[in-house]
Amino acid sequence: MSSDQRERLSKDERRLAGLARSTTATFAHMSTLLHHLDLIASDPVASRSLYEPFLGHCGFTLKSAGYTWAGFGLGHARYPCITIMKAKGDGATRKRDR
C-alpha cells in the first residue's frame, strides 16, 4: 500500500468517525426535536415485528406493550417516545393508507 493510499484511507476513517459522532449526537439531542410520535396500525401486536428492528436500529427500545399499543423509548428518558396504537373509528377498517 502506497503512502498516498494510506493517507486517503486515514482521511476516510476520520470522516467516518466524524459521521458516527454526529449520528450519536443527533440521537442524544433528539429529545429537543421530537417529543412523541404515534403510529396507527390495525394490529399493533403484528406491527411490532416491522417497527421493533427499525426503531432498535435508531436507538429506541420497547418499554412496555399491551394488546392495543406498544411504546418505545430512547434510553431511560421519558421523551422522546414512539407509540404504535390501534386504529379506531373510520380508519380502523381501512386496509392501508399509503
Side-chain angles (χ1 to χ4, degrees):
M1 181 181 291
S2 72
S3 64
D4 186 47
Q5 289 172 321
R6 279 193 298 273
E7 184 178 326
R8 188 176 26 225
L9 180 62
S10 178
K11 287 179 184 177
D12 288 343
E13 288 172 338
R14 286 194 303 267
R15 191 181 93 247
L16 289 173
L19 287 174
R21 281 193 302 277
S22 68
T23 301
T24 302
T26 298
F27 285 121
H29 296 293
M30 188 177 281
S31 62
T32 61
L33 302 173
L34 173 71
H35 187 267
H36 74 278
L37 175 67
D38 293 335
L39 304 172
I40 307 301
S42 59
D43 186 351
V45 174
S47 296
R48 275 181 50 195
S49 64
L50 170 70
Y51 287 108
E52 198 163 0
F54 171 74
L55 293 173
H57 181 73
C58 296
F60 287 83
T61 56
L62 181 66
K63 299 298 181 181
S64 57
Y67 293 112
T68 61
W69 60 278
F72 296 85
L74 190 59
H76 294 293
R78 181 172 178 173
Y79 298 106
C81 66
I82 298 176
T83 306
I84 303 170
M85 302 176 74
K86 184 163 181 65
K88 298 177 183 175
D90 294 337
T93 58
R94 188 181 306 156
K95 292 295 180 195
R96 59 177 64 95
D97 188 9
R98 299 194 184 10

